[in-house]
Amino acid sequence: MTTTRPHTQAGSLNGLCIVDLTRVLGGPYCTQILADHGAEVLKIEPPAGDETRGWGPPFIDDTAAYFMGVNRNKKGLVADLSTESGQHFLRGLLQHADVLIENFKPGTLEKWGLGKDTLHEAFPRLIHCCISGFGADGPLGGLPGYDACAQALCGLMSVNGEKGGDPTRVGLPVVDMVTGLNAAIGVLLAVNERRASGKGQYLDISLFDCAVSLLHPHAPNYFASGKVPGLTGNAHPNIAPYESFPTANGELFLAVGNNRQFATLCRVLAHPQIAQDSRFIDNAQRLANRQALHEQLVQVLAAYQASELADELMQAGVPASPVNNVAQLLAHPHTSHRNMVIEHGNYRAINSPIKLSRTPARFRSLPPGFGEHNSEYAKE
């Protein structure tokens, strides 16, 4: 990995001004995506700060790595929006802003005289993106939302875990992050629409909706069959073999999606007869006889090394991978080749996965210190 220097070249969102009232993960992940591509993001924290500044160890210069991972390329401001002076400060920033992104509990901004209708009247071109747990109304409207609870409530845990075991949380905050992605998409849709209409609009993005949207293929399977999906471990509910297998050294994941790939797998393993077995002749039969197939492959794979075999299979056109840990992935040469790690002094972070040829994402500045840029915007 090479050291990354800050860049000043304009990005694809250069000139877009975003007031960021979000904290923790979903909102900051959204605004970092936009900041990476050139938007001016003004991150306004309450006097107590974004709580993730203290979510450590580990810490980098007294700020938690958690915060550092989703707040680069932003300006750091502090304001108490519960006070008249804080509200005046925010209104001053909104005079020149294109987008407001916030994840307050529904009703909070209304309490401060900054509700969506009030803001729309004062700033008709403003795009107001609200990220919440459940939206403002309905049976769960207005309640706070958290990633792990959304995973539990919305069925994600019910399909994640080993068969015969307990439902398990996905080992990363997938709901928060996909909510941030959907919020970023929504902002860009609204910005594009405003070019024709000249009008802003309100974006209602909830963790609940985004968690429900992740239920593929489990929801379509349920709609079609009426069968409630359950735990399958690493196995795919519709495809076999599509799961992890032990080898002589490490776990190997196979993602065999068609008969040609299955025949190639068996040939590379020097057991072509497995592909001719009537129990495994097509995907439907392999699913019906998944356990027998699994047992045969476990026996054969015991003679192989996961990493070396995965390379051979991929070269032959069979999707396969060793099951890497985080350190192994970050040290992988392709991670470096794809420029997926930013290094700047003692700051290291995952880079943007969005590759644009003329206006790529840029690292322009470190995550801001608490209130670092207040003096620049005090005049507002």
Side-chain angles (χ1 to χ4, degrees), residues 245-313:
F245 296 86
T247 71
N249 181 18
E251 290 274 319
L252 175 75
F253 198 96
L254 296 176
V256 178
N258 57 52
N259 294 335
R260 177 185 55 79
Q261 292 175 351
F262 184 64
T264 302
L265 167 68
C266 296
R267 175 177 56 77
V268 171
L269 295 176
H271 283 73
Q273 74 281 1
I274 296 178
Q276 302 304 316
D277 190 315
S278 61
R279 296 173 298 170
F280 314 135
I281 201 67
D282 59 26
N283 184 68
Q285 289 302 310
R286 291 192 291 273
L287 272 178
N289 297 284
R290 186 200 297 272
Q291 185 58 37
L293 175 60
H294 182 89
E295 291 171 0
Q296 285 208 23
L297 290 176
V298 166
Q299 292 179 10
V300 172
L301 291 168
Y304 290 88
Q305 308 285 314
S307 184
E308 289 81 356
L309 179 58
D311 287 342
E312 184 178 358
L313 288 171

Side-chain angles (χ1 to χ4, degrees), residues 81-317:
L81 299 182
S82 68
T83 67
E84 185 176 341
S85 62
Q87 294 159 18
H88 177 75
F89 178 68
L90 175 60
R91 285 177 175 271
L93 295 177
L94 293 178
Q95 290 284 351
H96 311 290
D98 297 287
V99 183
L100 170 67
I101 305 178
E102 47 94 0
N103 61 354
F104 288 110
K105 182 180 176 182
T108 301
L109 286 180
E110 284 77 5
K111 180 177 64 177
W112 295 335
L114 297 167
K116 64 177 182 178
D117 294 336
T118 300
L119 291 177
H120 178 69
E121 181 178 353
F123 311 104
R125 286 180 54 83
L126 182 69
I127 294 162
H128 179 178
C129 177
C130 174
I131 299 172
S132 67
F134 300 96
D137 49 25
L140 300 176
L143 296 178
Y146 301 92
D147 177 274
C149 295
Q151 290 193 37
L153 176 67
C154 298
L156 275 65
M157 283 177 58
S158 77
V159 295
N160 188 59
E162 290 298 327
K163 189 173 183 178
D166 296 321
T168 305
R169 180 182 69 88
V170 178
L172 52 86
V174 61
V175 176
D176 275 342
M177 296 181 77
V178 79
T179 300
L181 286 168
N182 283 327
I185 292 169
V187 166
L188 297 178
L189 293 172
V191 167
N192 183 68
E193 191 278 337
R194 191 180 63 178
R195 295 170 60 189
S197 69
K199 300 177 181 179
Q201 58 182 303
Y202 182 75
L203 283 60
D204 176 8
I205 312 292
S206 78
L207 270 69
F208 181 86
D209 295 355
C210 293
V212 173
S213 77
L214 288 171
L215 289 176
H216 188 87
H218 303 289
N221 288 347
Y222 174 72
F223 291 147
S225 70
K227 296 180 180 178
V228 178
L231 301 174
T232 58
N234 287 327
H236 195 288
N238 297 71
I239 311 170
Y242 199 110
E243 58 187 300
S244 58
F245 296 86
T247 71
N249 181 18
E251 290 274 319
L252 175 75
F253 198 96
L254 296 176
V256 178
N258 57 52
N259 294 335
R260 177 185 55 79
Q261 292 175 351
F262 184 64
T264 302
L265 167 68
C266 296
R267 175 177 56 77
V268 171
L269 295 176
H271 283 73
Q273 74 281 1
I274 296 178
Q276 302 304 316
D277 190 315
S278 61
R279 296 173 298 170
F280 314 135
I281 201 67
D282 59 26
N283 184 68
Q285 289 302 310
R286 291 192 291 273
L287 272 178
N289 297 284
R290 186 200 297 272
Q291 185 58 37
L293 175 60
H294 182 89
E295 291 171 0
Q296 285 208 23
L297 290 176
V298 166
Q299 292 179 10
V300 172
L301 291 168
Y304 290 88
Q305 308 285 314
S307 184
E308 289 81 356
L309 179 58
D311 287 342
E312 184 178 358
L313 288 171
M314 286 288 281
Q315 292 296 329

Side-chain angles (χ1 to χ4, degrees), residues 15 39 59 120 190-191 198 252 317 336 348 362 377:
F59 291 95
H120 178 69
V191 167
L252 175 75
S336 177
R348 292 197 298 168
R362 300 288 188 183
Y377 296 87

